[in-house]
Amino acid sequence: MCRRPCGGGRAEVAWVVGAGWQGRGYAKEAATGLVRHLLGRPPGGEGIRTVVAHIHPGHTASAAVAAAAGLEATPEREDGEVRWRRNAPWSADPGHDSE
């Protein structure tokens, strides 16, 4: 899901879990698997180099999910939300996504 046209090897992820199902590890398991799958494509193909999520600064549960999936908070903000990022280990530019 992108707020603007995606490309250049970047994917944006988000998660929503119904209130009755929260706190059971479902978001963590799903986000971790999705990020691993997205970044598991080898270089030289059409693989994803960067995974990004935007999380409200007060939403500690979502921040914990992002951290468990290997994303790191950045100083960047979009619409008041913190941008979290993880780059593929083979990414040529580990400090920036391709926007």
Side-chain angles (χ1 to χ4, degrees):
M1 165 169 114
C2 292
R3 295 178 184 191
R4 57 188 158 278
C6 285
R10 177 176 173 258
E12 187 167 331
V13 297
W15 43 87
V16 177
V17 177
W21 299 97
Q22 293 176 1
R24 300 180 186 198
Y26 295 132
K28 176 182 170 182
E29 183 177 348
T32 300
L34 177 60
V35 170
R36 185 178 327 126
H37 175 75
L38 288 169
L39 295 178
R41 308 252 190 244
E46 294 288 324
I48 299 298
R49 292 191 313 267
T50 304
V51 174
V52 172
H54 292 93
I55 300 172
H56 187 278
H59 204 290
T60 57
S62 282
V65 169
L71 281 75
E72 296 180 353
T74 72
E76 302 165 46
R77 301 289 186 270
E78 185 173 321
D79 297 329
E81 295 180 326
V82 177
R83 177 176 288 179
W84 288 66
R85 175 185 298 124
R86 179 175 171 185
N87 292 301
W90 49 265
S91 177
D93 187 5
H96 299 86
D97 61 28
S98 45
E99 290 189 293

